[in-house]
């Protein structure tokens, strides 16, 4: 049997293992059966939580930690990365993330992206003029108003006074004042990284699709959706460009729309941006198999999450793709149609969530060894 070359590029298993830990365990399993295999590991994420850590772990950037306002106004430490080329990579989850709240109704109504704006401002102070903002994992539905406020934009009520924070404050919005916006933004380029295509408002918008999981009260969703729709109209008028219907405008509670409006950000696939930063294509030409994965794989994976973005890159080089996952839904045909050839689950017997988390490293090693056996079998069948 000849030596094989594997590329490992798995997302993290949320709450169980980082991307690096997942790939390390899988590699051990592969090497236990195929000790001569060459393995290249790329810790990845799709622009949401873990993206900064993945690129820093890959040696592609340095971490900066700052004290900023969290989603509810309390001070919190948040980190971002300055990449090799001088770009900044910021996760909105770091300063405005859902893990920083209890998803209570009052918190969801007033949660703000102000801290994300503070991280952007700090990156500007550091001389960064190309800024990438990952949009996953936010606690907010403020349309990016808090972020813009940190960069000098004023949001005023009918009396000319500043409105409150969060989507609750947007209910009082009458005017968007751009006169104090940070002039450095005009010399910058921004990319908003997202794996979703939702518009700002409407049945597929930020309020109806993502609001409930953040704690927005179900009875008020129609009213809050109209609030965000009106916010989009006022912002579009102020900046002279309609941002409401942009695909991805509703990501992170409308932060996608705010970045597009106030920072002229281009909304693009988060996983594509990460793969570019990692120079992921470098070894694809010599690979026999790409191994990706995530904590749970289901039909949503096919809509642009990290494993499918990786599969699309592999397809350019004709390389087959396997996914090792914590668990998977019964129907994942859409995932196969999107380019993932085989899916292996780590969970082999009924277990509690706590047991699964505890056994994750061993389960990944066993899955890696099973995958190596499949590769060996495929070679014998040629």
């Amino acid at each position: 049997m000849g030596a094989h070359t594997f590329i490992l590029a798995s997302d993290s298993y949320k709450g169980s293992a980082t991307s690096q830990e997942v790939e390390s365990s899988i590699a051990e399993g592969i090497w236990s059966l195929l000790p001569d295999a060459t393995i290249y590991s790329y810790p990845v994420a799709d622009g949401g939580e873990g993206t900064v850590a993945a690129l820093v772990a890959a040696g592609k950037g340095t971490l900066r930690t700052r004290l900023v306002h969290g989603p509810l106004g309390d001070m919190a430490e948040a980190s971002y990365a300055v990449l090799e080329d001088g770009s900044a990579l910021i996760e909105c989850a770091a300063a405005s993330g859902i893990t920083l709240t209890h998803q209570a109704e009052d918190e969801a109504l007033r949660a703000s992206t102000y801290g994300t704006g503070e991280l952007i401002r700090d990156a500007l102070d550091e001389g960064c003029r190309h800024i990438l903002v990952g949009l996953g994992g936010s606690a907010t539905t403020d349309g990016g108003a808090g972020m813009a406020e940190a960069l000098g934009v004023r949001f005023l009520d009918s009396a000319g006074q500043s409105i409150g924070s969060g989507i609750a404050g947007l209910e009082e919005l009458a005017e968007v004042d751009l006169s104090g916006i940070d002039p450095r933004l005009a010399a910058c380029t921004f990319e908003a990284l997202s794996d979703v295509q939702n518009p700002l408002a409407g049945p597929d918008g930020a309020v109806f699709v993502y609001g409930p999981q953040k704690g927005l009260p179900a009875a008020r969703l129609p009213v809050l959706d109209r609030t965000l729709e009106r916010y989009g109209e006022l912002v579009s008028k102020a900046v002279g460009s309609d941002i409401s219907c942009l695909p991805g405008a509703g990501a992170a509670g409308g932060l996608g729309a705010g970045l597009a409006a106030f920072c002229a950000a281009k909304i693009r696939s988060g996983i594509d941006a990460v793969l570019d930063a990692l120079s992921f294509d470098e070894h694809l030409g010599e690979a026999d198999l790409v191994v990706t994965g995530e904590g749970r794989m289901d039909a949503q994976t096919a809509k642009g999450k990290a494993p499918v973005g990786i599969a699309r890159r592999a397809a350019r080089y004709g390389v087959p793709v396997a996914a090792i996952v914590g668990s998977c839904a019964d129907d994942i045909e859409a995932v196969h149609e999107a380019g993932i050839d085989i899916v292996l689950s780590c969970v082999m017997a009924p277990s509690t969530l706590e047991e699964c988390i505890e056994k994750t490293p061993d389960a990944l090693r066993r899955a890696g060894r099973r995958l190596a056996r499949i590769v060996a079998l495929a070679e014998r069948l040629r």
Side-chain angles (χ1 to χ4, degrees):
M1 185 186 305
H4 295 86
T5 298
F6 296 81
I7 290 179
L8 306 187
S10 176
D11 205 345
S12 63
Y13 287 19
K14 299 296 189 292
S16 300
T18 65
S19 178
Q20 302 96 293
E21 291 167 343
V22 169
E23 291 169 17
S24 176
S25 295
I26 291 173
E28 289 177 19
I30 292 172
W31 275 322
S32 71
L33 192 70
L34 302 174
D36 294 331
T38 297
I39 298 178
Y40 297 103
S41 288
Y42 293 89
V44 298
D46 57 13
E49 188 175 0
T51 303
V52 166
L55 289 178
V56 170
K60 299 296 184 178
T62 57
L63 204 62
R64 297 187 185 276
T65 301
R66 297 292 184 264
L67 195 64
V68 299
H69 290 84
L72 304 179
D74 300 328
M75 301 305 292
E77 284 191 346
S79 299
Y80 69 97
V82 176
L83 305 182
E84 292 174 318
D85 63 359
S87 302
L89 173 62
I90 293 168
E91 296 172 12
C92 76
S96 312
I98 197 167
T99 59
L100 302 175
T101 74
H102 300 94
Q103 298 89 62
E105 288 186 4
D106 65 318
E107 293 179 335
L109 288 167
R110 62 187 175 90
S112 168
T113 52
Y114 191 89
T116 297
E118 289 179 302
L119 290 180
I120 292 173
R121 194 172 66 207
D122 190 84
L124 295 174
D125 293 343
E126 292 293 331
C128 301
R129 293 298 179 263
H130 181 63
I131 299 175
L132 304 94
V133 184
L135 300 185
S138 81
T140 58
T141 317
D142 73 345
M147 175 275 301
E149 186 181 4
L151 297 173
V153 179
R154 297 182 68 208
F155 297 90
L156 308 174
D157 61 20
S158 58
Q161 301 299 309
S162 294
I163 62 172
S165 65
I167 193 169
L170 295 184
E171 293 183 291
E172 306 300 323
L173 181 63
E175 181 186 353
V176 179
D177 179 4
L178 301 178
S179 61
I181 195 168
D182 195 318
R184 295 175 294 180
L185 296 176
C188 296
T189 56
F190 281 78
E191 294 182 60
L193 311 183
S194 175
D195 64 355
V196 302
Q197 298 293 304
N198 306 80
L200 179 61
D204 296 322
V207 169
F208 281 114
V209 176
Y210 304 109
Q213 69 193 44
K214 300 177 183 184
L216 291 181
R220 293 193 61 190
L221 294 183
V223 171
L224 294 173
D225 180 67
R226 287 194 292 274
T227 295
L228 208 56
E229 181 180 26
R230 183 169 174 273
Y231 165 79
E233 293 169 353
L234 290 170
V235 168
S236 296
K237 181 180 178 181
V239 301
S241 176
D242 186 3
I243 47 83
S244 300
C245 295
L246 282 176
L255 178 57
L259 286 165
F262 302 111
C263 303
K266 303 296 183 184
I267 301 175
R268 66 172 299 199
S269 162
I271 185 60
D272 279 341
V274 171
L275 294 179
D276 286 346
L278 291 170
S279 302
F280 178 74
D281 292 17
E282 181 180 0
H283 296 292
L284 273 175
E286 62 189 270
D288 296 301
L289 182 67
V290 169
V291 185
T292 187
E294 60 184 344
R296 176 170 174 78
M297 184 164 283
D298 54 30
Q300 290 297 314
T301 301
K303 295 183 177 180
K305 290 192 175 181
V308 163
I310 290 161
R312 288 173 180 154
R313 289 293 180 101
R316 298 178 188 174
Y317 294 82
V319 182
V321 179
I324 293 178
V325 301
S327 64
C328 63
D330 291 336
D331 183 8
I332 53 171
E333 192 59 34
V335 171
H336 294 308
E337 292 173 357
I340 296 177
D341 299 286
I342 187 172
V343 178
L344 302 180
S345 174
C346 287
V347 180
M348 299 295 289
S351 304
T352 65
L353 177 60
E354 291 74 17
E355 288 171 338
C356 289
I357 292 173
E358 181 181 350
K359 297 175 182 177
T360 295
D362 286 339
L364 286 165
R365 280 189 285 271
R366 289 194 296 270
R369 187 175 175 86
R370 290 204 310 277
L371 182 62
R373 287 197 179 279
I374 292 171
V375 171
L377 175 62
E379 185 157 299
R380 289 176 61 191
L381 291 174
R382 287 178 181 173

